[in-house]
Amino acid sequence: MNAPMVEMRGVTASYGASQALFGVDLTLPEGGALALMGRNGMGKSTTLKTLCGLLRPSDGRIRFAGSEITGLPAHRIARRGLGLVPEGRRCFTPLTVAENLTATARPGPWDLDRVASLFPRLAERWDQRAASLSGGEQQMLAIGRALMTNPRLLVLDEATEGLAPVVRREIWAAVAQLRAQGGLSLILVDKSLRELRQVADGAVILARGKTVWAGDMGDLTSEGAARWLGV
C-alpha cells in the first residue's frame, strides 16, 4: 500500500503568543482529493500555511509523500512537489501571463500548452500583463502557475472566492478535469459544499483550530454540515 500523500498528526501552531491550531489531524491518500472545511477563522488557512512551511508548527508531525517535513522551510517543501494556489491569487502583476507561468516552470508534463488546454482564456492573453487581467483570469493564472511546478499535490485556498458565477463554474470544471486526469492529489478549501461534494473524496472539518470531523465526503450528513459549517 502506498504511503499517504499528506499526514498531519496533532499539529499545533501559533502566531507569536496567540495559538491558532490546537490539534489538527489530517490524512490525504495519494491521488485523492480532500475538502478542508470549517467556518471562518477556524484554522483552515493556518493549517495550509503549516503544511506548506510558511508557519512552523509548535508541536505535532507532518509527513508529505512518505517523508517527514515537520519544520522544513517552504522552498524545500515546494521542491518535493507541493504546489500552492494561495488565497488572494498573488500573481506577479508586472509580468505577462506567459512570464508568470514560465517563472515557476519545472520539468514535467505540465507546460504552456497543457495550461492553455485547461484554461483557454489564458492562451488568448499570453502577452498581457497580469495586472490587466480580471480577477477570474488572475485566479486561472495562479492555478496554472502552480501546475507549472509539476506538483504531486495541488493545494487550492479559496480558489473561487469573490468570483462571478460563470467564472466559478470554469474553475470548478478545471478542478473536475484535474481529478479526471488522475495522478495529482488535491486539497481544497472552499465554502461551496455542493461543488466540493462533486470533486472531493474525503473531508476534514476544523473548529477552533482542531479537527472535529473527518471521513468520506459521502458520510457528511446535512446535520453534520449544519452543526459544523452552518449550512
Side-chain angles (χ1 to χ4, degrees), residues 173-184:
V175 173
Q177 189 174 332
L178 293 174
R179 287 288 289 137
Q181 291 172 354
L184 184 65

Side-chain angles (χ1 to χ4, degrees), residues 44-45 48 84-88 139 155-160 187 189:
K44 302 184 298 297
S45 291
L48 296 187
L84 172 65
V85 181
E87 186 177 11
Q139 187 62 72
V155 177
L156 297 105
D157 190 4
E158 301 283 9
T160 67
I187 293 179
V189 172

